[in-house]
Amino acid sequence: KECVKELALLVSDDLQISNLSLRVGVSILQKCPSTVETKQIFASYMLSPALSLSTSALLHDGLPAHASLLKLFEELVVSNTVSFTELWKAMEDRFNDTQSGFDANTSSSSLLTRQSSTTSTTTMMSRQSISNLSKCMAVVAVKAPSKDEMEGVIANLVNYLQSACEQESLQSEEEAKFQLYLLTTGEIGQLMNIVDTLTNGAK
């Protein structure tokens, strides 16, 4: 427990240190049994800073910390340390809270409350932040524990995009959400063949 707590404190805007902390976290998930205690510890201490880092504009493709963050989210789902539904909702909440300028880490009712964020948020997310979050969401989507859950997520993404395209104009917040969902769908397509799923979801 103390080890994970210390690791969580190191996940910050210092990407070199964050990378090392994330890699150790991944190793723990891979080698330690996914006990109730392990799940509680990671949900309480590691998840929140990882979500905060997922919207950091400092992350870019090719950086070790970026790859380590994606691997951590993948292992959280594969090991069922955090349920797919809970993690997906937490990522959407992260987007919504950051867009509104409200840091969910300070909310007593949020999943992210158990650990203070070490990464600051801004009123509106940058394009880079949205791109980073979309990659994290895509990794989680393709590792959904069931085909139905995966197809449900993809169908929801496509349905939203179709609905948004039918509108004459979008508010700035909706434009950001449209961009996030579009990028997420594209990233999922890079990881798997979703033609059939997209067709079913669009019906």
Side-chain angles (χ1 to χ4, degrees), residues 127-171:
R127 290 179 181 271
Q128 185 61 46
S129 296
I130 293 175
S131 176
N132 290 336
L133 182 58
S134 73
K135 289 179 172 60
C136 295
M137 294 177 73
V139 166
V140 170
V142 299
K143 294 299 180 180
S146 73
K147 183 179 180 181
D148 287 343
E149 287 177 302
M150 181 183 65
E151 291 181 346
V153 162
I154 295 175
N156 288 338
L157 292 172
V158 173
N159 288 338
Y160 174 84
L161 294 174
Q162 285 188 322
S163 177
C165 287
E166 293 172 356
Q167 300 181 39
E168 293 184 1
S169 62
L170 297 173
Q171 298 295 326

Side-chain angles (χ1 to χ4, degrees), residues 5-127:
K5 288 175 64 176
E6 292 299 321
L7 290 174
L9 293 174
L10 296 176
V11 179
S12 66
D13 285 337
D14 188 326
L15 297 184
Q16 289 185 328
I17 294 178
S18 292
N19 175 50
L20 295 176
S21 177
L22 292 167
R23 288 176 61 185
V24 174
V26 169
S27 295
I28 292 174
L29 289 172
Q30 290 176 332
K31 297 179 180 180
C32 296
S34 185
T35 63
V36 173
E37 183 181 12
T38 301
K39 293 179 180 180
Q40 291 176 340
I41 291 172
F42 269 84
S44 298
Y45 301 107
M46 198 70 174
L47 180 57
S48 177
L51 286 168
S52 295
L53 189 61
S54 73
T55 57
S56 172
L58 298 177
L59 282 180
H60 293 276
D61 286 339
L63 291 177
H66 186 265
S68 297
L69 181 63
L70 295 178
K71 188 64 177 176
L72 178 72
F73 283 130
E74 177 182 323
E75 290 298 329
L76 286 173
V77 175
V78 171
S79 65
N80 197 34
T81 299
V82 179
S83 72
F84 169 76
T85 301
E86 186 178 21
L87 184 52
W88 185 264
K89 184 180 184 301
M91 288 182 162
E92 290 193 320
D93 287 346
R94 179 63 189 171
F95 169 77
N96 293 328
D97 293 337
T98 305
Q99 281 295 102
S100 64
F102 171 73
D103 191 345
N105 288 299
T106 63
S107 169
S108 61
S109 62
S110 171
L111 169 68
L112 314 181
T113 66
R114 303 161 190 168
Q115 170 68 31
S116 297
S117 169
T118 53
T119 304
S120 62
T121 59
T122 56
T123 301
M124 298 294 289
M125 291 175 67
S126 67
R127 290 179 181 271

